[in-house]
Structures are given as C-alpha cells and as structure tokens.
Amino acid sequence: MKLKRILLPLAAAYVGYRVYQKTEEQELNNDHIDRCRNKLIALGYDVIDSYTLNLKENSYLMFYFENDNIEYEVRYDKESETIEYIKEV
C-alpha cells in the first residue's frame, strides 16, 4: 500500500513532464515554420498553399508552397534561422 502511495505520484509527475516536453517541442517546431513563412513573405512571395517536412533529428526544415501557380521548395536552416535555398519544383 505504501508503495502505491509513492509510485502513483511519481508516475503522474513523469507523464506530466513528458506531455510538457512534447508540447514545448511542438511549439518550437511551429515557431520555425512561422519564421520560415514570414521570411518568404518578406521576400515578396505569396505563401498560399504550404506544407512542411520536419524531422526533429534534422537541423533543417523543408517547406513547400505555391505562389502564382508555381510550386517552390525551400530549405530552411533551423539553427541559423536562414533560408538556404528556394527552387521551383
């Protein structure tokens, strides 16, 4: 009985920490996507229809969007927060 009283709060704390950790990770990923989109808009592109490929183990973000019926591929470096390249697909 005493073991349950100790383990239950520890398990709940661990689950809460993991949820918090995943939430923070997702917010950081969303920030990278927003920064990339904002830089493209600042360069004069109309980012209409977009999607991303973002793996947490990669230091870059692949961002795809459409502007004036032309599809573009963008590689965005998450560490230096710069656009490495923009090319038509």
Side-chain angles (χ1 to χ4, degrees):
M1 193 66 162
K2 287 185 180 183
L3 189 59
K4 283 185 182 179
R5 287 184 183 176
I6 294 172
L7 289 180
L8 190 58
L10 286 177
Y14 177 74
V15 169
Y17 174 72
R18 294 295 294 167
V19 168
Y20 169 77
Q21 200 174 31
K22 288 292 181 182
T23 302
E24 287 295 311
E25 182 179 302
Q26 186 61 41
E27 285 181 15
L28 182 61
N29 287 337
N30 290 344
D31 286 344
H32 288 304
I33 293 167
D34 289 342
R35 287 185 191 119
C36 180
R37 182 181 294 115
N38 290 341
K39 286 185 186 239
L40 289 168
I41 290 169
L43 290 173
Y45 291 100
D46 292 326
V47 180
I48 298 169
D49 188 20
S50 66
Y51 63 96
T52 62
L53 298 176
N54 186 16
L55 298 175
K56 66 179 179 179
E57 53 268 0
N58 291 344
S59 64
Y60 60 88
L61 164 75
M62 296 304 294
F63 189 85
Y64 300 88
F65 72 99
E66 186 176 318
N67 181 40
D68 296 330
N69 295 325
I70 302 172
E71 293 184 13
Y72 292 92
E73 174 185 274
V74 178
R75 182 172 169 151
Y76 179 78
D77 188 345
K78 294 188 280 188
E79 293 174 354
S80 65
E81 297 184 357
T82 58
I83 294 175
E84 292 181 2
Y85 67 80
I86 302 171
K87 70 177 185 178
E88 290 184 25
V89 180

